[in-house]
Amino acid sequence: PAKRKSTKSKAREVVVTRLSRNRRKMITNVVGLERFDVDLKEASKAFGKKFACGCSVTKGATGKDELDLQGDYSEQLGTLIREKYGVSAEDVRFVDKSKF
C-alpha cells in the first residue's frame, strides 16, 4: 500500500530542472505541468512573455511534452507556477543539472 501511494503522489508533480547548454547559457526545463490541467502551449506563451525569453513545448526523453525556457528562471518559475496555476509548494520540485 505504501508503494502505491508514493507512485500516485509522484504522478502529480512539477519538476523544474536547470540545465547548462554551453558555457554561460542555461535552459530551464518544466515537466509535469500538464498533470494539473494546464494547456502547455498557453503556458509556453505566458512564460515567454513574462520572462522575455524563448519558450517552447518539446517532446522529452520519455516521450511526454515538456517546456523549455531559454535562461535560468527556476526560482521565479516556481513562484509563478504556484500563483498562476494553483500548484502547491510540495508539488514543485527543483533539480539542478547545470555544470556550475
Coordinates of all heavy atoms in Angstrom, one line a residue:
P1 N 0.8 -1.2 0.0 CA 0.0 0.0 0.0 C 0.9 1.3 0.0 O 0.5 2.2 -0.6 CB -0.8 -0.1 1.3 CG -0.8 -1.5 1.6 CD 0.4 -2.1 1.1
A2 N 2.0 1.3 0.7 CA 2.8 2.5 0.8 C 3.4 2.8 -0.6 O 3.6 3.9 -0.9 CB 3.9 2.2 1.8
K3 N 3.8 1.7 -1.3 CA 4.4 2.0 -2.6 C 3.4 2.6 -3.6 O 3.7 3.5 -4.4 CB 5.0 0.7 -3.2 CG 6.4 0.4 -2.8 CD 6.9 -0.7 -3.7 CE 8.4 -0.8 -3.4 NZ 9.2 -1.4 -4.4
R4 N 2.2 2.1 -3.5 CA 1.2 2.6 -4.4 C 0.9 4.1 -4.2 O 0.7 4.9 -5.1 CB -0.1 1.8 -4.2 CG -1.2 2.1 -5.3 CD -2.4 1.2 -5.2 NE -2.0 -0.2 -5.5 CZ -2.7 -1.2 -5.0 NH1 -3.8 -1.1 -4.3 NH2 -2.3 -2.4 -5.4
K5 N 0.9 4.5 -2.9 CA 0.7 5.9 -2.6 C 1.9 6.8 -3.1 O 1.6 7.9 -3.6 CB 0.6 6.1 -1.1 CG 0.2 7.5 -0.7 CD 0.0 7.6 0.8 CE -0.4 9.0 1.1 NZ 0.0 9.5 2.4
S6 N 3.1 6.3 -3.0 CA 4.3 7.1 -3.5 C 4.2 7.3 -5.0 O 4.6 8.4 -5.5 CB 5.6 6.5 -3.0 OG 5.8 5.2 -3.7
T7 N 3.8 6.3 -5.7 CA 3.7 6.5 -7.2 C 2.6 7.4 -7.5 O 2.7 8.2 -8.5 CB 3.5 5.1 -7.9 OG1 2.3 4.5 -7.4 CG2 4.7 4.2 -7.8
K8 N 1.5 7.4 -6.8 CA 0.4 8.4 -7.1 C 0.9 9.8 -6.8 O 0.6 10.7 -7.5 CB -0.8 8.0 -6.2 CG -2.0 8.7 -6.7 CD -3.2 8.3 -5.9 CE -4.5 9.0 -6.4 NZ -5.6 8.7 -5.6
S9 N 1.6 10.0 -5.7 CA 2.0 11.4 -5.3 C 3.1 11.9 -6.3 O 3.1 13.0 -6.6 CB 2.5 11.4 -3.9 OG 3.7 10.7 -3.8
K10 N 3.9 11.0 -6.8 CA 4.9 11.3 -7.8 C 4.2 11.7 -9.1 O 4.8 12.5 -9.9 CB 5.9 10.2 -8.0 CG 7.1 10.6 -8.7 CD 8.2 9.5 -8.4 CE 9.5 9.8 -9.2 NZ 10.2 10.9 -8.6
A11 N 3.1 11.1 -9.4 CA 2.4 11.4 -10.7 C 1.9 12.8 -10.7 O 1.9 13.4 -11.8 CB 1.2 10.4 -10.8
R12 N 1.6 13.4 -9.6 CA 1.2 14.8 -9.6 C 2.3 15.7 -9.1 O 2.3 16.1 -7.9 CB -0.1 15.0 -8.8 CG -1.3 14.4 -9.5 CD -2.6 15.0 -9.3 NE -2.9 16.3 -8.8 CZ -3.5 17.2 -9.6 NH1 -3.8 17.0 -10.8 NH2 -3.7 18.4 -9.1
E13 N 3.3 15.9 -9.9 CA 4.4 16.7 -9.5 C 5.0 17.5 -10.7 O 5.0 17.0 -11.8 CB 5.5 15.7 -9.0 CG 6.7 16.4 -8.4 CD 7.7 15.4 -7.9 OE1 8.1 14.5 -8.6 OE2 8.1 15.6 -6.7
V14 N 5.4 18.7 -10.4 CA 6.0 19.5 -11.5 C 7.5 19.6 -11.2 O 7.9 19.9 -10.0 CB 5.4 21.0 -11.5 CG1 6.2 21.8 -12.5 CG2 3.9 20.9 -11.8
V15 N 8.3 19.2 -12.1 CA 9.8 19.2 -11.9 C 10.4 20.3 -12.7 O 10.2 20.3 -14.0 CB 10.4 17.8 -12.3 CG1 11.9 17.8 -12.0 CG2 9.7 16.7 -11.5
V16 N 11.0 21.2 -12.1 CA 11.7 22.3 -12.7 C 13.2 22.0 -12.7 O 13.8 21.9 -11.6 CB 11.4 23.7 -12.0 CG1 12.1 24.8 -12.7 CG2 9.9 23.9 -12.0
T17 N 13.8 21.8 -13.9 CA 15.2 21.4 -14.0 C 16.0 22.5 -14.6 O 15.6 23.1 -15.6 CB 15.4 20.1 -14.8 OG1 14.4 19.2 -14.3 CG2 16.8 19.6 -14.7
R18 N 17.2 22.8 -14.1 CA 18.1 23.8 -14.6 C 19.2 23.1 -15.3 O 19.9 22.3 -14.7 CB 18.6 24.7 -13.5 CG 19.4 25.9 -14.1 CD 19.7 26.9 -13.0 NE 20.9 26.4 -12.3 CZ 21.5 27.1 -11.4 NH1 21.0 28.2 -10.9 NH2 22.6 26.6 -10.9
L19 N 19.4 23.3 -16.6 CA 20.5 22.6 -17.4 C 21.4 23.7 -18.0 O 20.9 24.8 -18.4 CB 19.8 21.8 -18.6 CG 18.7 20.8 -18.2 CD1 17.9 20.6 -19.4 CD2 19.4 19.6 -17.7
S20 N 22.7 23.3 -18.1 CA 23.6 24.3 -18.7 C 23.7 23.8 -20.2 O 23.9 22.7 -20.5 CB 24.9 24.3 -18.1 OG 25.5 23.0 -18.1
R21 N 23.6 24.8 -21.1 CA 23.7 24.5 -22.5 C 25.1 24.5 -23.0 O 25.7 23.6 -23.5 CB 22.8 25.5 -23.3 CG 22.4 25.0 -24.6 CD 21.5 25.9 -25.3 NE 22.2 27.2 -25.6 CZ 21.6 28.3 -26.0 NH1 20.3 28.4 -26.2 NH2 22.4 29.3 -26.3
N22 N 25.7 25.7 -23.0 CA 27.1 25.8 -23.3 C 27.7 27.1 -22.6 O 27.1 28.1 -22.6 CB 27.4 25.9 -24.8 CG 26.6 27.0 -25.5 OD1 26.2 27.9 -24.9 ND2 26.4 26.8 -26.8
R23 N 28.8 26.9 -21.9 CA 29.4 27.9 -21.1 C 28.4 28.6 -20.2 O 28.0 28.0 -19.2 CB 30.1 28.9 -22.0 CG 31.3 28.3 -22.7 CD 32.4 29.4 -23.1 NE 33.4 28.7 -23.8 CZ 33.7 29.0 -25.1 NH1 33.1 29.9 -25.8 NH2 34.7 28.3 -25.7
R24 N 28.0 29.8 -20.5 CA 27.1 30.6 -19.5 C 25.6 30.4 -19.8 O 24.8 31.0 -19.1 CB 27.5 32.0 -19.5 CG 28.9 32.3 -19.0 CD 29.2 33.8 -18.9 NE 29.0 34.5 -20.2 CZ 29.9 34.7 -21.1 NH1 31.1 34.2 -21.0 NH2 29.6 35.4 -22.2
K25 N 25.3 29.8 -20.9 CA 23.9 29.7 -21.3 C 23.2 28.6 -20.5 O 23.7 27.5 -20.3 CB 23.8 29.3 -22.8 CG 24.5 30.3 -23.7 CD 23.7 31.5 -24.0 CE 24.4 32.4 -25.0 NZ 23.8 33.7 -25.2
M26 N 22.0 28.9 -20.1 CA 21.2 28.0 -19.3 C 19.8 27.7 -20.0 O 19.3 28.5 -20.7 CB 20.9 28.5 -17.9 CG 22.2 28.8 -17.1 SD 23.0 27.3 -16.8 CE 22.9 27.3 -15.0
I27 N 19.3 26.5 -19.6 CA 17.9 26.2 -20.1 C 17.2 25.8 -18.8 O 17.7 25.0 -18.0 CB 17.9 25.1 -21.1 CG1 18.5 25.5 -22.4 CG2 16.5 24.5 -21.4 CD1 18.6 24.5 -23.5
T28 N 15.9 26.2 -18.7 CA 15.1 25.8 -17.6 C 14.0 24.9 -18.2 O 13.3 25.3 -19.1 CB 14.4 27.0 -16.9 OG1 15.4 27.9 -16.5 CG2 13.6 26.6 -15.7
N29 N 13.9 23.7 -17.7 CA 13.0 22.7 -18.2 C 11.9 22.4 -17.2 O 12.2 22.2 -16.0 CB 13.8 21.4 -18.5 CG 13.0 20.3 -19.1 OD1 12.4 19.6 -18.4 ND2 13.1 20.2 -20.4
V30 N 10.6 22.4 -17.7 CA 9.5 22.1 -16.8 C 8.8 20.9 -17.3 O 8.4 20.8 -18.5 CB 8.5 23.3 -16.8 CG1 7.4 23.1 -15.9 CG2 9.2 24.6 -16.5
V31 N 8.6 19.9 -16.4 CA 8.0 18.6 -16.7 C 6.8 18.4 -15.7 O 7.0 18.7 -14.6 CB 9.0 17.4 -16.6 CG1 8.3 16.1 -17.0 CG2 10.2 17.7 -17.5
G32 N 5.7 17.9 -16.2 CA 4.6 17.5 -15.4 C 3.5 18.6 -15.2 O 2.6 18.4 -14.4
L33 N 3.6 19.7 -15.9 CA 2.6 20.8 -15.7 C 1.3 20.3 -16.3 O 0.2 20.8 -15.8 CB 3.1 22.0 -16.4 CG 2.6 23.4 -15.9 CD1 2.8 23.5 -14.4 CD2 3.2 24.5 -16.7
E34 N 1.3 19.5 -17.3 CA 0.0 19.0 -17.9 C -0.8 18.2 -17.0 O -2.0 18.1 -17.2 CB 0.3 18.3 -19.2 CG 0.8 16.9 -19.1 CD 2.3 16.8 -18.8 OE1 3.0 17.8 -18.9 OE2 2.8 15.7 -18.4
R35 N -0.2 17.6 -15.9 CA -1.0 16.8 -15.0 C -1.9 17.7 -14.1 O -2.8 17.2 -13.4 CB 0.0 16.1 -14.1 CG 0.8 15.0 -14.9 CD 1.6 14.2 -13.9 NE 2.4 13.3 -14.7 CZ 3.8 13.4 -14.7 NH1 4.4 14.2 -14.0 NH2 4.5 12.5 -15.5
F36 N -1.7 19.0 -14.1 CA -2.5 19.9 -13.4 C -3.5 20.6 -14.3 O -3.9 21.8 -14.0 CB -1.7 20.9 -12.6 CG -0.9 20.3 -11.5 CD1 0.4 19.8 -11.7 CD2 -1.4 20.2 -10.2 CE1 1.1 19.2 -10.7 CE2 -0.7 19.6 -9.2 CZ 0.6 19.1 -9.4
D37 N -3.9 20.0 -15.4 CA -4.8 20.5 -16.4 C -4.4 21.9 -16.9 O -5.2 22.8 -17.0 CB -6.2 20.6 -15.8 CG -6.7 19.2 -15.5 OD1 -6.4 18.3 -16.2 OD2 -7.5 19.1 -14.5
V38 N -3.1 22.0 -17.2 CA -2.6 23.3 -17.8 C -2.3 23.1 -19.3 O -1.7 22.1 -19.7 CB -1.2 23.7 -17.1 CG1 -0.6 24.9 -17.7 CG2 -1.5 23.9 -15.6
D39 N -2.8 24.0 -20.1 CA -2.5 23.9 -21.5 C -1.1 24.3 -21.8 O -0.7 25.5 -21.5 CB -3.5 24.8 -22.3 CG -3.3 24.8 -23.8 OD1 -2.7 23.8 -24.3 OD2 -3.6 25.7 -24.5
L40 N -0.2 23.4 -22.2 CA 1.2 23.7 -22.4 C 1.5 24.8 -23.4 O 2.4 25.6 -23.2 CB 2.0 22.4 -22.7 CG 2.1 21.4 -21.6 CD1 2.9 20.2 -22.0 CD2 2.7 22.0 -20.3
K41 N 0.8 24.9 -24.5 CA 1.0 25.9 -25.5 C 0.7 27.3 -24.9 O 1.4 28.3 -25.1 CB 0.2 25.7 -26.7 CG 0.7 24.6 -27.6 CD 0.1 24.6 -29.0 CE 0.9 23.6 -29.8 NZ 0.1 23.1 -30.9
E42 N -0.4 27.4 -24.1 CA -0.8 28.6 -23.5 C 0.3 29.0 -22.4 O 0.7 30.2 -22.3 CB -2.1 28.4 -22.8 CG -2.8 29.7 -22.3 CD -4.1 29.4 -21.7 OE1 -5.0 29.0 -22.5 OE2 -4.3 29.5 -20.5
A43 N 0.7 28.0 -21.6 CA 1.7 28.3 -20.6 C 3.0 28.7 -21.2 O 3.7 29.6 -20.7 CB 1.9 27.0 -19.8
S44 N 3.4 28.1 -22.3 CA 4.6 28.5 -23.1 C 4.6 29.9 -23.5 O 5.6 30.7 -23.3 CB 4.8 27.6 -24.3 OG 5.8 28.0 -25.1
K45 N 3.5 30.4 -24.0 CA 3.3 31.7 -24.4 C 3.4 32.7 -23.2 O 4.1 33.7 -23.3 CB 1.9 31.9 -25.1 CG 2.0 32.7 -26.4 CD 0.6 32.7 -27.0 CE 0.7 33.2 -28.4 NZ -0.5 33.2 -29.2
A46 N 2.7 32.3 -22.1 CA 2.7 33.1 -20.9 C 4.1 33.3 -20.3 O 4.5 34.4 -20.0 CB 1.7 32.6 -19.9
F47 N 4.8 32.2 -20.2 CA 6.2 32.2 -19.7 C 7.1 33.0 -20.5 O 8.0 33.8 -20.1 CB 6.8 30.8 -19.5 CG 6.0 30.0 -18.5 CD1 6.1 28.6 -18.5 CD2 5.3 30.6 -17.5 CE1 5.4 27.8 -17.5 CE2 4.6 29.8 -16.5 CZ 4.7 28.4 -16.6
G48 N 7.0 32.9 -21.9 CA 7.8 33.6 -22.8 C 7.7 35.1 -22.7 O 8.6 35.9 -22.7
K49 N 6.4 35.5 -22.5 CA 6.1 36.9 -22.3 C 6.6 37.4 -21.0 O 7.1 38.5 -20.9 CB 4.6 37.2 -22.5 CG 4.2 37.2 -23.9 CD 2.7 37.6 -24.0 CE 2.3 37.6 -25.5 NZ 0.8 37.7 -25.6
K50 N 6.3 36.7 -19.9 CA 6.7 37.1 -18.6 C 8.2 37.3 -18.4 O 8.6 38.3 -17.8 CB 6.1 36.0 -17.6 CG 6.6 36.1 -16.2 CD 5.9 37.2 -15.4 CE 6.3 37.2 -14.0 NZ 6.0 38.4 -13.3
F51 N 9.0 36.3 -18.9 CA 10.4 36.4 -18.7 C 11.2 36.9 -19.9 O 12.4 37.0 -19.9 CB 10.9 35.0 -18.3 CG 10.3 34.4 -17.1 CD1 9.6 33.2 -17.2 CD2 10.5 35.0 -15.9 CE1 9.0 32.7 -16.0 CE2 9.9 34.5 -14.7 CZ 9.2 33.4 -14.8
A52 N 10.4 37.3 -20.9 CA 11.0 37.9 -22.2 C 12.1 36.9 -22.7 O 13.3 37.3 -22.9 CB 11.6 39.3 -21.9
C53 N 11.7 35.7 -22.9 CA 12.7 34.7 -23.4 C 12.0 33.8 -24.3 O 10.7 33.8 -24.5 CB 13.3 33.9 -22.2 SG 12.1 32.8 -21.4
G54 N 12.7 32.9 -25.0 CA 12.1 31.9 -25.9 C 11.6 30.7 -25.0 O 12.3 30.3 -24.1
C55 N 10.4 30.3 -25.3 CA 9.9 29.2 -24.5 C 9.1 28.3 -25.5 O 8.3 28.8 -26.3 CB 8.9 29.6 -23.4 SG 8.3 28.3 -22.4
S56 N 9.4 27.0 -25.5 CA 8.8 26.1 -26.5 C 8.3 24.8 -25.8 O 8.8 24.4 -24.8 CB 9.7 25.8 -27.6 OG 10.9 25.1 -27.1
V57 N 7.3 24.1 -26.4 CA 6.9 22.8 -26.0 C 7.6 21.8 -26.8 O 7.6 21.8 -28.0 CB 5.3 22.7 -26.2 CG1 4.8 21.3 -25.8 CG2 4.6 23.8 -25.5
T58 N 8.3 20.9 -26.1 CA 9.1 19.9 -26.8 C 8.8 18.5 -26.3 O 8.2 18.4 -25.2 CB 10.6 20.1 -26.6 OG1 10.9 20.1 -25.2 CG2 11.1 21.4 -27.2
K59 N 9.1 17.5 -27.0 CA 9.0 16.1 -26.6 C 10.2 15.7 -25.8 O 11.4 15.9 -26.2 CB 8.9 15.2 -27.7 CG 7.5 15.2 -28.4 CD 6.6 14.1 -27.9 CE 5.4 14.0 -28.7 NZ 4.2 14.5 -27.9
G60 N 10.0 15.2 -24.5 CA 11.2 14.9 -23.7 C 11.7 13.5 -24.0 O 11.2 12.8 -24.9
A61 N 12.6 13.0 -23.2 CA 13.2 11.7 -23.4 C 12.2 10.6 -23.2 O 12.3 9.5 -23.8 CB 14.4 11.5 -22.4
T62 N 11.2 10.8 -22.3 CA 10.2 9.8 -22.1 C 9.0 9.9 -23.1 O 8.1 9.1 -23.0 CB 9.6 10.0 -20.7 OG1 9.1 11.3 -20.5 CG2 10.6 9.8 -19.6
G63 N 9.1 10.8 -24.0 CA 8.0 11.0 -25.0 C 6.9 11.9 -24.6 O 6.0 12.1 -25.3
K64 N 7.0 12.4 -23.4 CA 5.9 13.3 -22.9 C 6.3 14.8 -23.2 O 7.5 15.1 -23.4 CB 5.8 13.2 -21.4 CG 5.2 11.9 -21.0 CD 4.8 11.8 -19.5 CE 4.2 10.5 -19.1 NZ 5.0 9.7 -18.4
D65 N 5.3 15.6 -23.3 CA 5.6 17.0 -23.6 C 6.2 17.7 -22.4 O 5.8 17.5 -21.3 CB 4.3 17.8 -24.0 CG 3.9 17.4 -25.4 OD1 4.7 16.9 -26.2 OD2 2.7 17.7 -25.8
E66 N 7.1 18.7 -22.7 CA 7.7 19.5 -21.6 C 8.0 20.8 -22.1 O 8.0 21.0 -23.3 CB 8.9 18.8 -21.0 CG 10.0 18.4 -22.1 CD 11.1 17.6 -21.5 OE1 10.8 16.7 -20.8 OE2 12.2 17.9 -21.9
L67 N 8.2 21.8 -21.2 CA 8.5 23.2 -21.6 C 10.0 23.4 -21.5 O 10.6 23.0 -20.5 CB 7.7 24.2 -20.7 CG 6.2 24.2 -20.9 CD1 5.6 25.1 -19.8 CD2 5.8 24.6 -22.3
D68 N 10.6 24.1 -22.4 CA 12.0 24.5 -22.4 C 12.0 26.1 -22.5 O 11.5 26.7 -23.4 CB 12.8 24.0 -23.6 CG 13.2 22.5 -23.3 OD1 13.2 22.1 -22.1 OD2 13.5 21.8 -24.3
L69 N 12.6 26.7 -21.4 CA 12.8 28.2 -21.4 C 14.3 28.5 -21.6 O 15.1 27.8 -21.0 CB 12.3 28.8 -20.1 CG 10.9 28.9 -19.9 CD1 10.3 27.7 -19.2 CD2 10.6 30.1 -19.0
Q70 N 14.6 29.4 -22.4 CA 16.0 29.8 -22.6 C 16.4 30.8 -21.5 O 15.8 31.9 -21.4 CB 16.1 30.5 -24.0 CG 15.9 29.6 -25.2 CD 15.9 30.4 -26.5 OE1 16.2 31.5 -26.5 NE2 15.7 29.6 -27.6
G71 N 17.2 30.3 -20.6 CA 17.7 31.1 -19.5 C 17.4 30.4 -18.2 O 16.7 29.4 -18.1
D72 N 18.0 31.0 -17.1 CA 17.8 30.4 -15.8 C 16.7 31.1 -15.0 O 16.9 32.2 -14.5 CB 19.1 30.5 -15.0 CG 19.0 29.9 -13.6 OD1 18.0 29.2 -13.3 OD2 19.8 30.1 -12.8
Y73 N 15.5 30.5 -15.0 CA 14.3 31.1 -14.4 C 13.7 30.2 -13.4 O 12.5 30.3 -13.1 CB 13.3 31.5 -15.4 CG 13.8 32.5 -16.4 CD1 14.1 32.1 -17.7 CD2 14.0 33.8 -16.1 CE1 14.6 32.9 -18.7 CE2 14.5 34.7 -17.1 CZ 14.8 34.3 -18.3 OH 15.2 35.1 -19.2
S74 N 14.5 29.3 -12.8 CA 14.0 28.2 -12.0 C 13.2 28.8 -10.7 O 12.1 28.3 -10.4 CB 15.0 27.2 -11.6 OG 16.2 27.9 -11.1
E75 N 13.8 29.7 -10.0 CA 13.2 30.3 -8.8 C 11.9 31.0 -9.1 O 10.9 30.8 -8.5 CB 14.1 31.2 -8.0 CG 15.0 30.5 -7.0 CD 16.2 29.8 -7.6 OE1 17.0 30.4 -8.2 OE2 16.3 28.5 -7.4
Q76 N 12.0 32.0 -10.1 CA 10.8 32.8 -10.5 C 9.7 31.9 -11.0 O 8.5 32.1 -10.8 CB 11.2 33.8 -11.5 CG 12.2 34.8 -11.1 CD 13.6 34.5 -11.7 OE1 14.1 33.4 -11.6 NE2 14.2 35.4 -12.4
L77 N 10.1 30.8 -11.8 CA 9.1 29.9 -12.4 C 8.4 29.2 -11.3 O 7.2 29.0 -11.5 CB 9.9 29.0 -13.3 CG 9.1 28.3 -14.4 CD1 8.4 29.4 -15.3 CD2 9.9 27.5 -15.3
G78 N 9.1 28.7 -10.3 CA 8.4 28.0 -9.2 C 7.3 28.9 -8.6 O 6.2 28.4 -8.4
T79 N 7.6 30.1 -8.3 CA 6.6 31.1 -7.8 C 5.5 31.3 -8.7 O 4.3 31.3 -8.3 CB 7.3 32.4 -7.4 OG1 8.5 32.1 -6.7 CG2 6.4 33.3 -6.6
L80 N 5.8 31.5 -10.0 CA 4.7 31.8 -11.0 C 3.8 30.6 -11.1 O 2.6 30.7 -11.2 CB 5.4 32.1 -12.3 CG 4.4 32.5 -13.4 CD1 3.8 33.9 -13.1 CD2 5.1 32.6 -14.7
I81 N 4.3 29.4 -11.1 CA 3.5 28.1 -11.3 C 2.6 28.0 -10.1 O 1.4 27.7 -10.2 CB 4.4 26.9 -11.4 CG1 5.1 26.9 -12.8 CG2 3.6 25.6 -11.2 CD1 6.1 25.8 -13.0
R82 N 3.1 28.3 -8.9 CA 2.2 28.2 -7.7 C 1.1 29.2 -7.7 O 0.0 28.9 -7.4 CB 3.1 28.4 -6.4 CG 4.0 27.2 -6.1 CD 4.5 27.2 -4.7 NE 5.5 28.3 -4.6 CZ 6.8 28.2 -4.8 NH1 7.3 27.0 -5.2 NH2 7.6 29.2 -4.6
E83 N 1.5 30.5 -8.1 CA 0.5 31.5 -8.1 C -0.6 31.4 -9.3 O -1.8 31.5 -9.0 CB 1.1 32.9 -8.2 CG 1.9 33.3 -7.0 CD 2.7 34.5 -7.2 OE1 2.7 35.1 -8.3 OE2 3.4 34.9 -6.2
K84 N -0.1 31.2 -10.5 CA -1.0 31.2 -11.6 C -1.8 30.0 -11.8 O -2.9 30.0 -12.2 CB -0.1 31.5 -12.9 CG -0.9 31.7 -14.1 CD -0.1 32.2 -15.3 CE -1.0 32.4 -16.5 NZ -0.4 33.2 -17.5
Y85 N -1.2 28.8 -11.5 CA -1.9 27.5 -11.8 C -2.3 26.8 -10.5 O -2.9 25.7 -10.6 CB -1.0 26.6 -12.6 CG -0.6 27.3 -14.0 CD1 0.7 27.6 -14.2 CD2 -1.6 27.5 -14.9 CE1 1.0 28.2 -15.4 CE2 -1.3 28.1 -16.1 CZ 0.0 28.5 -16.4 OH 0.3 29.1 -17.6
G86 N -2.1 27.4 -9.4 CA -2.6 26.8 -8.1 C -2.0 25.5 -7.7 O -2.6 24.7 -7.0
V87 N -0.7 25.3 -8.1 CA 0.0 24.1 -7.8 C 0.7 24.3 -6.4 O 1.3 25.4 -6.1 CB 1.1 23.8 -8.8 CG1 1.9 22.6 -8.4 CG2 0.5 23.6 -10.2
S88 N 0.5 23.4 -5.5 CA 1.0 23.6 -4.1 C 2.6 23.5 -4.1 O 3.2 22.9 -5.0 CB 0.5 22.6 -3.1 OG 1.0 21.3 -3.5
A89 N 3.2 24.1 -3.1 CA 4.6 24.2 -3.0 C 5.2 22.8 -2.9 O 6.3 22.5 -3.3 CB 5.0 25.0 -1.8
E90 N 4.5 21.8 -2.3 CA 5.0 20.5 -2.1 C 5.1 19.7 -3.5 O 5.8 18.8 -3.6 CB 4.1 19.6 -1.2 CG 4.1 20.1 0.2 CD 3.0 21.2 0.5 OE1 1.9 21.0 0.0 OE2 3.4 22.3 1.1
D91 N 4.3 20.2 -4.4 CA 4.2 19.5 -5.7 C 5.2 20.1 -6.7 O 5.3 19.6 -7.9 CB 2.8 19.6 -6.3 CG 1.8 18.8 -5.5 OD1 2.2 17.8 -4.9 OD2 0.6 19.1 -5.6
V92 N 6.0 21.1 -6.3 CA 7.0 21.7 -7.2 C 8.4 21.2 -6.7 O 8.7 21.5 -5.6 CB 6.9 23.2 -7.3 CG1 8.0 23.8 -8.2 CG2 5.5 23.6 -7.8
R93 N 9.1 20.6 -7.6 CA 10.5 20.1 -7.2 C 11.5 20.7 -8.1 O 11.3 20.8 -9.3 CB 10.5 18.6 -7.3 CG 11.8 17.9 -6.7 CD 11.6 16.5 -6.5 NE 11.2 15.7 -7.7 CZ 12.0 15.0 -8.5 NH1 13.3 15.0 -8.3 NH2 11.5 14.4 -9.5
F94 N 12.6 21.1 -7.5 CA 13.7 21.7 -8.3 C 14.9 20.8 -8.4 O 15.3 20.2 -7.4 CB 14.2 23.0 -7.7 CG 13.1 24.1 -7.6 CD1 12.3 24.3 -6.5 CD2 12.8 24.9 -8.7 CE1 11.3 25.2 -6.4 CE2 11.8 25.8 -8.7 CZ 11.1 26.0 -7.5
V95 N 15.4 20.7 -9.6 CA 16.6 19.8 -9.9 C 17.6 20.7 -10.6 O 17.3 21.4 -11.5 CB 16.3 18.6 -10.7 CG1 17.5 17.8 -11.0 CG2 15.2 17.8 -10.1
D96 N 18.9 20.7 -10.1 CA 20.0 21.4 -10.8 C 20.9 20.5 -11.4 O 21.7 19.8 -10.8 CB 20.7 22.3 -9.7 CG 21.6 23.3 -10.4 OD1 21.8 23.3 -11.6 OD2 22.1 24.2 -9.6
K97 N 20.9 20.4 -12.8 CA 21.8 19.6 -13.5 C 22.9 20.4 -14.3 O 23.5 20.0 -15.2 CB 21.1 18.7 -14.5 CG 20.2 17.6 -13.9 CD 19.7 16.7 -14.9 CE 18.8 15.6 -14.2 NZ 18.1 14.8 -15.2
S98 N 23.0 21.7 -13.8 CA 24.0 22.5 -14.5 C 25.4 22.2 -14.1 O 25.6 21.6 -13.1 CB 23.7 24.0 -14.2 OG 23.9 24.2 -12.8
K99 N 26.4 22.5 -14.9 CA 27.8 22.2 -14.7 C 28.4 23.2 -13.7 O 29.6 23.0 -13.4 CB 28.5 22.1 -16.0 CG 28.0 21.0 -16.9 CD 28.7 21.0 -18.2 CE 28.1 19.9 -19.1 NZ 27.9 20.3 -20.4
F100 N 27.7 24.2 -13.3 CA 28.3 25.2 -12.5 C 27.9 25.1 -11.0 O 26.8 24.7 -10.7 CB 28.0 26.6 -13.0 CG 28.4 26.8 -14.4 CD1 27.5 26.8 -15.4 CD2 29.8 26.9 -14.7 CE1 27.9 26.9 -16.8 CE2 30.1 27.1 -16.1 CZ 29.2 27.1 -17.1

